[in-house]
Amino acid sequence: MSKGKVEINRKLASKTLDEFTPSDVMGIENCMRCGICSYSCPFWLETKKFYDVPAWRTYEINKIYSMFYTGYGIVARFLRLRRISGKEFKHWTESAYDCTACGACTFTSPMEVPNWYTALIMRRILHYSGFNYESAEKLAKNSKDFKNALGIVNWSETANKMGFNVDKKDSEILYVPSPLEIQDPDILSSTLNVFNKLKVSVTVSSKVSDPGYYAYFVGDFETARELLVNVYDTAKELNVKKIVTTDGAGYFWLRWQGPKSIKENPPLVIEHLTKTVYDSYKQGKIKLDKADITAPSTVHYSEFLSRLGGIEEPPRELLRLTAPQFIEPKESPSSDKLYTCTHHLELIEEKKDVVKKVRNYVVAQLTKWGGKSVIVFDPNCMLSLENAVKDKQAEFKVVYFTELLDRGIKV
């Protein structure tokens, strides 16, 4: 492979499909290309382009898999009946990033096809072949060079100023923030306040300022794995009991997708802060009351925390207890009927035009519910909705859940 030219060969296939499981194989092979998945995807609803149908990406990846790992595919490859044409490949970059990997298409699919995952595999091939977006490659390079996708190098200094313990051994919790959270002092302050109200010993690490999912989302799986292992090794070095994150995507990566990628189970408990707080509430250690934020309030659930991460009860119950005049969606937190925000694609400069258009789908849904405050559980969701407000697409106030909990916890 060289920049500007990609050769689809066994080396590429074995490298990019190295974390495929039997369920992934079954998923891509069972796709019937019925197109039902497209109706839950705001990108396809906006563009109506054939390569924005989630199943199209799966079909492209399935072609590569079958050409090297199935009998009929190998024969078809030698007979030149199955291949990735240049005409198709030129759509890959745009298609791969017309997806937030929210998983709604998989929930909609009658065969539960992992279309969200094949978008990430596409990005991995783009990363290797030199066809990736420049801004995506910058995130990957920062992750590799600085161990932080946004290039943040002064995390330890920031943590000390905010009042966090840094590298304190034998703490109960290692708190792992994400780069966007580190940039927001209000998130860090409210998070520390919540930990203090829970009366738990917590530390951050000078070595960990990024769980690693940004590198994964832009196709650099190797760097993402290195950052994940760094989190696990640091937790063991500090002898903590569990890792806690406040980032919905961070939880999904640390607990589920990251372990799958490195083919190892997490060495200790991984929690999202909502579960930590909810457990304390159920044990009678804290009391919860309505928080002093603008009412009425509603919610944009994190796709990665609930739909892909499986955490539904803690955030939902905490909202019922603390969100003032809470307008609760009829659908469950993991429902494919809840539109994705534009999440990490807000950081992909080349996608800014379509991202702005696609934001309208989730904004229209939230606006229809009538909340003056919208509570979020992921910093990428916060960035997306705040950008919608800045672009005058929305008029609600975006509230990070740590602020809600800080105001709602009564010790």
Side-chain angles (χ1 to χ4, degrees), residues 99-389:
C99 172
T100 62
C102 75
C105 53
T106 297
F107 277 64
T108 306
S109 166
M111 304 301 290
E112 298 183 356
V113 176
N115 297 304
W116 65 272
Y117 179 54
T118 53
L120 300 184
I121 297 298
M122 265 192 169
R123 296 178 193 181
R124 192 177 191 193
I125 295 172
L126 293 168
H127 170 67
Y128 286 139
S129 61
F131 284 88
N132 213 359
Y133 283 130
E134 184 177 338
S135 57
E137 285 300 299
K138 183 177 180 180
L139 293 174
K141 189 175 189 304
N142 284 341
S143 299
K144 189 173 184 64
D145 293 347
F146 305 110
K147 298 188 184 302
N148 185 286
L150 300 184
I152 298 170
V153 295
N154 60 343
W155 162 232
S156 182
E157 180 183 335
T158 299
N160 271 312
K161 287 182 179 179
M162 296 302 302
F164 281 98
N165 293 318
V166 180
D167 298 325
K168 184 179 179 182
K169 289 189 174 183
D170 301 317
S171 296
E172 183 179 348
I173 290 171
L174 170 63
Y175 170 52
V176 177
S178 59
L180 284 175
E181 291 173 323
I182 288 174
Q183 288 186 329
D184 192 326
D186 291 335
I187 290 179
L188 294 178
S189 176
S190 59
T191 299
L192 182 58
N193 288 342
V194 170
F195 281 129
N196 288 337
K197 290 177 180 180
L198 295 178
K199 297 180 180 179
V200 293
S201 58
V202 61
T203 186
V204 297
S205 171
S206 58
K207 299 178 182 178
V208 177
S209 63
D210 186 337
Y213 67 80
Y214 283 120
Y216 192 81
F217 283 172
V218 298
D220 189 353
F221 286 20
E222 284 71 24
T223 296
R225 292 166 183 168
E226 290 174 8
L227 294 182
L228 176 70
V229 171
N230 178 54
V231 174
Y232 289 167
D233 288 347
T234 300
K236 288 186 283 188
E237 289 172 9
L238 294 175
N239 195 35
V240 298
K241 295 180 180 178
K242 59 185 174 182
I243 295 170
V244 173
T245 180
T246 42
D247 183 335
Y251 172 79
F252 172 64
W253 169 249
L254 292 168
R255 178 60 187 88
W256 297 113
Q257 197 63 21
K260 174 195 172 183
S261 191
I262 63 172
K263 299 179 175 64
E264 292 181 17
N265 290 324
L268 69 171
V269 174
I270 310 292
E271 281 186 358
H272 189 264
L273 184 60
T274 52
K275 186 177 187 308
T276 313
V277 172
Y278 189 52
D279 285 348
S280 292
Y281 169 74
K282 289 193 297 182
Q283 294 163 11
K285 296 180 180 178
I286 58 171
K287 294 182 180 180
L288 296 172
D289 202 352
K290 297 298 182 182
D292 180 22
I293 64 170
T294 303
S297 59
T298 190
V299 61
H300 171 65
Y301 287 112
S302 165
E303 304 89 337
F304 293 95
L305 179 62
S306 297
R307 187 180 295 145
L308 295 177
I311 303 297
E312 286 198 358
E313 183 181 5
R316 182 179 57 203
E317 294 303 315
L318 290 176
L319 286 168
R320 289 171 176 172
L321 291 162
T322 61
Q325 299 179 37
F326 180 46
I327 303 171
E328 182 173 353
K330 295 180 180 179
E331 295 81 8
S332 72
S334 61
S335 172
D336 56 284
K337 294 180 174 60
L338 299 179
Y339 281 122
T340 178
C341 64
T342 43
H343 205 258
H344 60 282
L345 297 182
E346 295 286 344
L347 301 175
I348 307 300
E349 177 65 22
E350 295 86 345
K351 302 301 296 184
K352 63 180 181 180
D353 292 335
V354 71
V355 159
K356 183 177 180 179
K357 294 176 182 177
V358 168
R359 278 195 223 122
N360 285 322
Y361 289 83
V362 67
V363 166
Q365 189 172 61
L366 293 168
T367 301
K368 182 179 179 181
W369 294 340
K372 292 185 178 179
S373 293
V374 175
I375 300 152
V376 296
F377 295 88
D378 183 311
N380 299 279
C381 300
M382 187 169 189
L383 176 63
S384 176
L385 296 183
E386 285 188 335
N387 282 344
V389 173

Side-chain angles (χ1 to χ4, degrees), residues 5-60:
K5 183 177 180 180
V6 57
E7 179 184 351
I8 306 297
N9 53 32
R10 184 173 293 279
K11 181 179 178 181
L12 177 69
S14 63
K15 191 170 187 178
T16 55
L17 307 179
D18 66 344
E19 65 180 37
F20 259 36
T21 64
S23 62
D24 294 324
V25 174
M26 183 173 67
I28 64 173
E29 290 187 332
N30 284 348
C31 179
M32 300 178 293
R33 289 189 287 162
C34 65
I36 290 175
C37 56
S38 59
Y39 291 95
S40 62
C41 177
F43 283 92
W44 180 82
L45 291 172
E46 177 62 32
T47 70
K48 295 297 194 297
K49 294 177 179 177
F50 71 89
Y51 52 80
D52 281 338
V53 175
W56 183 82
R57 292 185 282 267
T58 294
Y59 182 60
E60 292 292 285

